[in-house]
Amino acid sequence: MASKEPDPTNFSVVNTLLTAIEKGDLDQVRRCFAPSALTWHNFDEIEQDVHAMAAMLGHLCAHSTSRSYEDRRITTVGSQAFLQYTLTAALHSGDHFRMPAMMRLEIDSDGLVARIEEYFDSRVLDSLA
């Protein structure tokens, strides 16, 4: 049985994912991922499953009233999307969260995120502690 090749032109899941995070819709976030998807961050070099990744995003959503992916730059190559952006959030404390970052997403043959590798300075997370 031949496996389906990813459609290198369909990256709609990327915008769906970012919009879901901005809205704080963690159920929609989870639906963007393949069941076996993994997320990796440069600061700890640990792979997280979808459940752990959603919990981390849930922490951001619980501490903020709004989130926005600003200055988005997306480049696609084959079944991969490379994003450069600044994630900002208005925190319940009245402070503002700002995280310049970069990530690489692998999209599987079903159009779902199979893997994310995200790069950012982990010191920005201190404002969420």
Side-chain angles (χ1 to χ4, degrees):
M1 178 188 217
S3 64
K4 278 191 331 189
E5 289 297 316
D7 178 355
T9 62
N10 185 1
F11 288 92
S12 61
V13 70
V14 175
N15 286 323
T16 302
L17 174 62
L18 299 181
T19 299
I21 294 168
E22 288 177 334
K23 291 180 177 179
D25 185 345
L26 297 179
D27 289 333
Q28 181 63 39
V29 167
R30 287 183 197 90
R31 286 192 293 272
C32 291
F33 286 85
S36 62
L38 295 171
T39 299
W40 175 92
H41 296 102
N42 65 298
F43 64 89
D44 62 7
E45 299 186 50
I46 296 172
E47 291 181 325
Q48 296 179 314
D49 63 11
V50 175
H51 176 75
M53 179 274 312
M56 189 170 137
L57 286 173
H59 183 73
L60 171 65
C61 292
H63 286 84
S64 60
T65 58
S66 64
R67 291 144 305 279
S68 179
Y69 282 90
E70 300 174 359
D71 306 319
R72 295 183 196 186
R73 292 181 222 146
I74 301 174
T75 301
T76 59
V77 178
S79 61
Q80 300 178 75
F82 297 86
L83 284 75
Q84 184 177 351
Y85 56 88
T86 302
L87 174 59
T88 62
L91 303 179
H92 290 295
S93 66
D95 291 334
H96 292 280
F97 174 81
R98 184 177 182 280
M99 183 181 82
M102 189 166 223
M103 76 168 74
R104 182 181 71 86
L105 295 91
E106 294 177 12
I107 308 303
D108 73 6
S109 59
D110 293 322
L112 298 172
V113 176
R115 181 175 181 84
I116 291 179
E117 294 175 355
E118 190 171 31
Y119 301 84
F120 60 88
D121 182 348
S122 63
R123 290 177 293 181
V124 301
L125 300 177
D126 293 346
S127 64
L128 298 176

